[in-house]
Amino acid sequence: MEALFWGSSTADLQITIFFLIVSFLISLVACFFSKKLSVALLIFSILANISFLLNIGSDMFDYYNMVWLLYFSLFIWPIINILLIVYYAKTSSKKK
């Protein structure tokens, strides 16, 4: 049978969407206080990746035919986050 993290695939999807909305709101607050879009993008990317990685053991991705998103969030998205961190570190050190 299916090994669902929160009990059902619908609940897994709803919790993932909830975490994505919270990630977006946190990045909006960060953008408001830092006045930098790159900081908000970095924060959103990291938190959104974490929201998908929380359900990595779930069969939600198989149930909704989103296996590509599973592999993307596991292998490619962390590389994008590392590149964003490097970009932010380079641009913030130039401004000082």
Side-chain angles (χ1 to χ4, degrees), residues 1-95:
M1 293 303 288
E2 297 179 4
L4 300 173
F5 189 70
W6 299 105
S8 71
S9 58
T10 306
D12 287 345
L13 185 63
Q14 289 174 347
I15 290 173
T16 302
I17 291 172
F18 172 75
F19 285 148
L20 284 173
I21 292 170
V22 169
S23 302
F24 181 72
L25 293 175
I26 290 172
S27 68
L28 281 178
V29 170
C31 184
F32 178 74
F33 285 115
S34 71
K35 305 285 192 247
K36 295 179 184 177
L37 185 61
S38 61
V39 172
L41 180 66
L42 177 65
I43 290 173
F44 176 72
S45 180
I46 291 171
L47 291 177
N49 190 13
I50 290 170
S51 69
F52 281 107
L53 290 177
L54 286 175
N55 280 329
I56 207 75
S58 170
D59 286 338
M60 168 188 75
F61 298 101
D62 292 328
Y63 185 78
Y64 289 109
N65 295 324
M66 300 184 308
V67 178
W68 63 270
L69 188 57
L70 171 73
Y71 291 116
F72 180 79
S73 64
L74 187 60
F75 297 115
I76 298 172
W77 208 338
I79 295 170
I80 292 172
N81 287 337
I82 291 169
L83 293 175
L84 284 172
I85 291 170
V86 168
Y87 172 77
Y88 178 72
K90 283 185 178 182
T91 58
S92 65
S93 65
K94 288 181 183 178
K95 292 180 182 179

